[in-house]
Amino acid sequence: MRTLEVHLRNGCSPTRTAALLHVGRQSLYQRLERIESLLGLPVADPDSHGELLLAACAHRLLRATE
């Protein structure tokens, strides 16, 4: 979830996302592929960015209250 949120918050920039997560770009691409396979939709689809970001933020907030 953190990878998805960071990626969306940074305009889906692989370079910026990888740097912020302290991972290589190849590792990031593997994570994004896994996320896409779980979601069943491409992360790069701008039509879904708002909904995905909202879900990622809600998940983070819910975990913080546990």
Side-chain angles (χ1 to χ4, degrees), residues 1-8 17 21 28 31-32 35:
M1 290 302 294
R2 182 163 188 271
T3 297
L4 178 60
E5 184 176 353
V6 170
H7 190 60
L8 292 169
T17 302
L21 294 173
L28 174 64
R31 289 182 185 190
L32 293 174
I35 291 167

Side-chain angles (χ1 to χ4, degrees), residues 8-66:
L8 292 169
R9 285 186 178 272
N10 287 281
C12 295
S13 166
T15 302
R16 181 80 178 133
T17 302
L20 289 168
L21 294 173
H22 307 287
V23 299
R25 284 179 53 155
Q26 190 60 39
S27 294
L28 174 64
Y29 289 131
Q30 291 171 350
R31 289 182 185 190
L32 293 174
E33 285 178 17
R34 176 74 173 137
I35 291 167
E36 288 177 345
S37 73
L38 291 170
L39 293 175
L41 58 98
V43 173
D45 179 11
D47 291 336
S48 63
H49 285 184
E51 293 171 2
L52 290 173
L53 185 55
L54 179 62
C57 290
H59 180 266
R60 180 174 36 83
L61 291 172
L62 288 172
R63 291 200 45 134
T65 61
E66 292 179 348

